[in-house]
Amino acid sequence: DQQVKQNSPSLSVQEGRISILNCDYTNSMFDYFLWYKKYPAEGPTFLISISSIKDKNEDGRFTVFLNKSAKHLSLHIVPSQPGDSAVYFCAASAYYNTDKLIFGTGTRLQVFP
Amino acid sequence: SAVISQKPSRDICQRGTSLTIQCQVDSQVTMMFWYRQQPGQSLTLIATANQGSEATYESGFVIDKFPISRPNLTFSTLTVSNMSPEDSSIYLCSAHQDAGINEKLFFGSGTQLSVL
């Protein structure tokens, strides 16, 4: 039972353009959502998060949008840079177990010049 | 931010053998976790490593197969026992510095395990 889904295994975007990575979830108890970024041979690193009380959180070039009614969140990267090329994981946790993160399968983003 | 050193970074093992993965954090952390990422799959939590007590395992994972130690607040080991090819995965150690604050979940670089 995949509670967090990233249906696009890969995405290719030209440098300077917007990258949009999508994530869907099924558990209505999830109230906190995170994006992690992973380079090859490295562990995932935290990128940005959003609480269910918000519908948008922005940090520099990165913005996460949350649509609770659709159980959908997205990560926007503007403008995209070649250094953004990595695997992006969406993760979620529920208020009753904040230490347990449920991860999606990841989306490999490639930003080309 | 905490730095997590994990070793070995990769290993190739024979069926039926066991491998112990070590995780060292450069500062004391409240909680440590072990994750597995099978090919094409998401990161799946194996267990929470509790300092001074038995680990807490997630559904589908058992202590006999994945014994875990956590002797202090900076170190933990995960053993993959009696390995089979299905155990071929990336194993990741992670840690919290502040309980319940998910932003501060740090990860090691992972152990790429291949079982022949």
Side-chain angles (χ1 to χ4, degrees):
Chain A
D1 176 29
Q2 191 69 28
Q3 297 185 67
V4 178
K5 302 177 184 178
Q6 293 177 258
N7 293 319
S8 298
S10 64
L11 176 67
S12 188
V13 173
Q14 189 172 29
E15 181 178 7
R17 303 237 179 205
I18 184 171
S19 295
I20 300 177
L21 294 88
N22 294 304
C23 178
D24 297 293
Y25 61 96
T26 58
N27 188 343
S28 58
M29 297 297 183
F30 288 151
D31 66 346
Y32 201 82
F33 305 89
L34 308 91
W35 285 92
Y36 280 82
K37 177 179 177 180
K38 184 181 185 300
Y39 291 117
E42 295 184 13
T45 55
F46 169 76
L47 186 59
I48 192 169
S49 63
I50 188 167
S51 164
S52 61
I53 63 173
K54 295 185 176 181
D55 54 19
K56 176 183 174 180
N57 188 27
E58 190 172 354
D59 183 2
R61 297 186 297 113
F62 303 92
T63 303
V64 56
F65 295 92
L66 175 62
N67 183 334
K68 290 185 289 293
S69 61
K71 293 189 176 68
H72 176 84
L73 63 156
S74 61
L75 174 67
H76 293 210
I77 305 173
V78 181
S80 301
Q81 300 174 354
D84 297 327
S85 298
V87 177
Y88 291 79
F89 290 97
C90 172
S93 68
Y95 68 91
Y96 54 82
N97 193 350
T98 57
D99 292 322
K100 183 174 179 179
L101 290 183
I102 309 297
F103 284 85
T105 52
T107 297
R108 182 177 301 277
L109 172 65
Q110 183 178 5
V111 181
F112 59 93
Chain B
S1 61
V3 175
I4 300 179
S5 300
Q6 190 174 334
K7 59 180 182 181
S9 58
R10 59 176 60 240
D11 207 342
I12 300 173
C13 300
Q14 295 295 321
R15 181 196 300 260
T17 63
S18 297
L19 175 72
T20 295
I21 302 168
Q22 297 182 4
C23 178
Q24 178 74 55
V25 189
D26 68 346
S27 59
Q28 292 187 345
V29 291
T30 52
M31 304 186 76
M32 296 181 74
F33 308 89
W34 288 96
Y35 283 83
R36 178 176 76 179
Q37 185 185 13
Q38 293 179 301
Q41 304 296 314
S42 58
L43 282 73
T44 302
L45 180 62
I46 297 172
T48 302
N50 300 307
Q51 193 265 327
S53 64
E54 195 170 284
T56 304
Y57 290 84
E58 297 298 312
S59 176
F61 298 97
V62 295
I63 187 171
D64 289 345
K65 176 66 176 177
F66 298 102
I68 288 171
S69 78
R70 189 173 174 198
N72 55 51
L73 292 176
T74 63
F75 186 78
S76 177
T77 66
L78 169 75
T79 299
V80 186
S81 303
N82 188 24
M83 287 184 284
S84 66
E86 293 71 34
D87 294 320
S88 298
S89 292
I90 298 174
Y91 292 86
L92 292 151
C93 170
S94 68
H96 265 299
Q97 280 191 308
D98 300 295
I101 302 176
N102 292 310
E103 293 95 320
K104 298 196 190 300
L105 186 62
F106 302 98
F107 284 86
S109 55
T111 297
Q112 175 77 61
L113 172 62
S114 299
V115 183
L116 304 178

